[in-house]
Amino acid sequence: DDVDCKVLSQDDTDGSSTMVVRYPVGWTRNSPECLLAHEEFLVLDGALELNGRRYGRHAYAFLPAGFVREHARATEGAVLLTMWYGTPLGVPAAQAPAGLYDPRLLVPYVNPLEVDWDPGLVDPQLAKGVAIKPLRTDPDSGETSFLYCSPPHRVPPGMAKPQWTHPMVEELYVLEGEYCWGDLGVMRRGGYCW
């Protein structure tokens, strides 16, 4: 109730969603609690502090369901791109179901400014000139999250790249610049698709 959310997508079957969440200036939590769903986020603006760790602009984390937040605050306010893997219900930490937390899934902190762009992780036939910064790979499903950089003039005006498909969902959020998404149009900063 004390944060603002813009829902970008939501799965009606299990409550999973992607949202832009705004924590107001001075937001705080001082009691140990956990969520009953996995939480993945990238800070778009401001800063969020969890358990004494500061997540500033573009900091990333994946916090599995049951991860205990001893305390949290957004002294200066924060805006996060957040993916919830189920309905994000919070409970006091002492009431978390036994066995909920899986430490193998935890990615406590990534500062993308300290990660090199890697063009070797992208199929050059599909995306010559593209590079990514890996953030997370799920140890069971292989699902990945990464920052993606596409240089200007990669596809000259009037030229079409070959169409392709893949067996998984692709979710995009534009942090900076413009990205032409197939024949669906140009996405700009804040643009989203699933």
Side-chain angles (χ1 to χ4, degrees), residues 75-148:
T75 305
E76 60 199 78
V79 178
L80 278 62
L81 175 66
T82 304
M83 285 71 66
W84 308 102
Y85 293 68
T87 303
L89 298 173
V91 297
Q95 295 176 13
L100 177 65
Y101 177 69
D102 185 348
R104 297 174 314 122
L105 303 179
L106 178 65
V107 179
Y109 176 82
V110 176
N111 179 355
L113 296 176
E114 297 172 348
V115 178
D116 291 331
W117 288 107
D118 190 342
L121 297 174
V122 182
D123 182 345
Q125 293 182 17
L126 298 177
K128 189 173 183 177
V130 167
I132 67 172
K133 289 186 177 190
L135 301 172
R136 173 186 85 95
T137 299
D138 185 282
D140 299 317
S141 70
E143 178 180 89
T144 61
S145 296
F146 52 84
L147 296 181
Y148 171 94

Side-chain angles (χ1 to χ4, degrees), residues 6-182:
K6 287 185 182 181
V7 178
L8 303 178
S9 67
Q10 186 166 13
D11 186 325
D12 293 334
T13 60
D14 70 0
S16 293
S17 59
T18 296
M19 301 180 185
V20 175
V21 180
R22 184 176 64 83
Y23 296 83
V25 172
W27 179 88
T28 187
R29 286 280 193 278
N30 289 315
S31 301
E33 63 182 2
C34 65
L35 298 178
L36 302 179
H38 302 323
E39 176 185 15
E40 181 174 20
F41 66 80
L42 182 81
V43 178
L44 300 175
D45 194 27
L48 180 68
E49 185 180 307
L50 294 174
N51 298 348
R53 174 174 274 149
R54 185 179 188 276
Y55 296 86
R57 189 168 186 260
H58 292 177
Y60 169 88
F62 185 94
L63 309 176
F67 173 84
V68 177
R69 293 165 171 74
E70 297 292 339
H71 51 83
R73 65 181 174 192
T75 305
E76 60 199 78
V79 178
L80 278 62
L81 175 66
T82 304
M83 285 71 66
W84 308 102
Y85 293 68
T87 303
L89 298 173
V91 297
Q95 295 176 13
L100 177 65
Y101 177 69
D102 185 348
R104 297 174 314 122
L105 303 179
L106 178 65
V107 179
Y109 176 82
V110 176
N111 179 355
L113 296 176
E114 297 172 348
V115 178
D116 291 331
W117 288 107
D118 190 342
L121 297 174
V122 182
D123 182 345
Q125 293 182 17
L126 298 177
K128 189 173 183 177
V130 167
I132 67 172
K133 289 186 177 190
L135 301 172
R136 173 186 85 95
T137 299
D138 185 282
D140 299 317
S141 70
E143 178 180 89
T144 61
S145 296
F146 52 84
L147 296 181
Y148 171 94
C149 178
S150 180
H153 310 295
R154 185 171 68 88
V155 180
M159 179 186 160
K161 295 288 281 181
Q163 292 186 340
W164 71 91
T165 187
H166 41 65
M168 76 290 282
V169 168
E170 186 167 354
E171 191 172 18
L172 302 169
Y173 184 89
V174 177
L175 295 176
E176 296 291 338
E178 295 182 344
Y179 187 69
C180 185
W181 183 238

